[in-house]
Amino acid sequence: QFGLNALFHLTTTIIYKEYSPGMVTAATVSIPATVFFMTTVWKENRLTGMEMVQAIILGTVIAAAAIGVLFSHSRKRGI
């Protein structure tokens, strides 16, 4: 979810050609931390390949749901 959130901020910056709050943190902290964490988990055999896939899918679903709720809430408020 952490990495997906970072990709969201970077993508919205590219698409809308304007600063997206969280973009700098996404590029300098979130993505490197996600890559480090997932690489470490993989190298140390903490999860099987299937467990890693399941974790990525679950994290993606949670992040997508959170983003959907935020957009839904902002539209209701007219933001």
Side-chain angles (χ1 to χ4, degrees):
Q1 181 194 9
F2 198 49
L4 186 62
N5 181 45
L7 291 176
F8 170 78
H9 286 292
L10 295 173
T11 302
T12 56
T13 297
I14 292 166
I15 290 172
Y16 295 110
K17 295 179 178 48
E18 62 183 37
Y19 176 75
S20 171
M23 181 193 70
V24 174
T25 303
T28 61
V29 177
S30 299
I31 291 176
T34 299
V35 170
F36 172 78
F37 174 74
M38 294 190 76
T39 302
T40 301
V41 167
W42 184 256
K43 284 181 180 178
E44 294 181 2
N45 294 317
R46 302 257 177 177
L47 297 175
T48 65
M50 182 56 75
E51 290 169 334
M52 182 73 88
V53 169
Q54 290 171 339
I56 291 168
I57 290 170
L58 181 59
T60 301
V61 168
I62 291 169
I67 291 168
V69 168
L70 291 173
F71 273 107
S72 172
H73 182 68
S74 66
R75 286 186 182 172
K76 286 179 185 175
R77 294 183 59 203
I79 298 174

